[in-house]
Amino acid sequence: MPDSDHSKSAEREDRLEAFLDGLLSPDEAAEFKRIAANDPLLQREIELQQSIDASLARSFVAPTAPRDILQLAQQEDLEPVEPASMHGTSGGTSKQRRMVLMVLAASIAWAVAGWRMYVASNDDGYQELALADIYQECVDGGFQPKWVCDDDREFAETFQKRQGQPLLLKPDSQDLMVGLSYLKGISAKTTTMLARVEGEPVLVFVDSLDRDTKPEKPSWGSGLNLFRQELDGLVLYELSPLAEPRVLSNFYVPEELPAATPGDADSL
């Protein structure tokens, strides 16, 4: 490219950046707009850069910096700044600054998204689902358990293996149980008991207390109520259309595992 063409290109680039940064006088800005109106390529570049700036303005809200970083920044402001040596310029062009802002905005957006996902999940990476949604999906699917335990030992061992504590139902309440499933809800290891009380489907979510995420109560419109109980290192949530908990009080932690039913000792 001849030197004169290169000079014109550089001048045009500088004028474009000055226009985008609002550094031109009203007369200069009007003249630049007039030139751009007759130059489709220039007009397209203006629109592209303005679109990028608008997108950054909408999506990038800088978070409050930690105090130690603010103090460091204040110290840096008080120190003399060495001139940059990039191609003989003192700080880069506005286009380069836009690129830096775009990269910074994208990095912060990814960090924020990752943090939100981490906060919404527990230590095993499971992202919480609304218990009311789990209930509705289970009911819509026919309210079918994954399996029905053959005896008390199998029932107790299921919770011992998954929640670190055996759990049993009182003998006079076992007819409430439909079966067990892994519907998650509190964590990826949550064990769920399906029950029917007065013909109504009821779910009981059981997990270890240290994994309790304290899920929100269902909305009034769901017609469901959530009840909570702690029991020897376990947390139990009863989700039910009934006004009072009817299943939670029937759980207890046995002092030892029940005897295995003959022939079923190796069935698990």
Side-chain angles (χ1 to χ4, degrees):
M1 178 183 294
D3 290 343
S4 59
D5 290 343
H6 180 80
S7 177
K8 289 180 181 180
S9 176
E11 182 179 353
R12 171 188 169 115
E13 187 75 14
D14 291 342
R15 184 58 62 91
L16 171 60
E17 292 170 4
F19 172 76
L20 293 170
D21 289 342
L23 300 179
L24 297 180
S25 68
D27 291 342
E28 290 173 331
E31 175 64 16
F32 189 79
K33 289 180 180 179
R34 185 189 64 79
I35 296 173
N38 297 312
D39 187 337
L41 291 178
L42 178 58
Q43 185 63 38
R44 191 178 306 167
E45 187 169 0
I46 291 174
E47 292 173 356
L48 175 61
Q49 292 298 330
Q50 288 177 334
S51 175
I52 292 173
D53 290 345
S55 178
L56 287 172
R58 287 193 304 269
S59 63
F60 176 58
V61 178
T64 301
R67 181 176 300 177
D68 55 345
I69 295 180
L70 287 175
Q71 291 175 346
L72 179 60
Q74 290 170 353
Q75 292 174 3
E76 291 292 335
D77 286 342
L78 295 177
E79 295 174 0
V81 178
E82 294 295 331
S85 59
M86 184 175 58
H87 302 297
T89 65
S90 60
T93 66
S94 72
K95 178 178 287 188
Q96 290 167 338
R97 290 195 295 273
R98 284 192 190 89
M99 291 301 296
V100 171
L101 282 176
M102 289 172 65
V103 172
L104 178 60
S107 299
I108 291 178
W110 276 106
V112 170
W115 173 252
R116 286 176 178 169
M117 291 180 65
Y118 173 79
V119 169
S121 65
N122 54 30
D123 57 353
D124 54 16
Y126 167 67
Q127 190 166 357
E128 290 183 64
L129 300 174
L131 298 187
D133 292 342
I134 296 175
Y135 178 95
Q136 192 60 52
E137 184 177 349
C138 183
V139 171
D140 291 345
F143 206 66
Q144 297 296 318
K146 184 177 179 64
W147 83 96
V148 177
C149 294
D150 294 329
D151 56 29
D152 284 350
R153 185 181 180 90
E154 183 180 355
F155 186 89
E157 284 188 336
T158 297
F159 292 97
Q160 184 177 51
K161 290 179 179 179
R162 293 179 63 80
Q163 279 71 52
Q165 186 77 285
L167 198 62
L168 283 175
L169 278 175
K170 296 176 182 178
D172 59 355
S173 64
Q174 292 186 0
D175 59 343
L176 298 175
M177 182 177 63
V178 176
L180 298 177
S181 284
Y182 300 145
L183 301 180
K184 302 182 181 180
I186 302 172
S187 78
K189 296 183 179 179
T190 301
T191 302
T192 310
M193 190 185 86
L194 284 64
R196 285 195 181 273
V197 181
E198 298 179 1
E200 296 289 349
V202 174
L203 292 181
V204 178
F205 300 89
V206 182
D207 217 319
S208 60
L209 186 57
D210 60 4
R211 284 200 291 265
D212 185 13
T213 55
K214 297 184 178 179
E216 295 183 1
K217 292 184 177 181
S219 64
W220 178 84
S222 70
L224 298 172
N225 297 295
L226 185 64
F227 309 97
R228 182 180 183 274
Q229 173 179 298
E230 294 181 13
L231 184 63
D232 290 352
L234 298 175
V235 63
L236 296 83
Y237 285 94
E238 180 176 338
L239 187 60
S240 168
L242 303 176
E244 297 179 351
R246 301 287 294 276
V247 184
L248 290 182
S249 61
N250 296 296
F251 285 96
Y252 71 98
V253 175
E255 294 182 0
E256 58 183 18
L257 289 174
T261 300
D264 291 339
D266 299 325
S267 61
L268 294 180

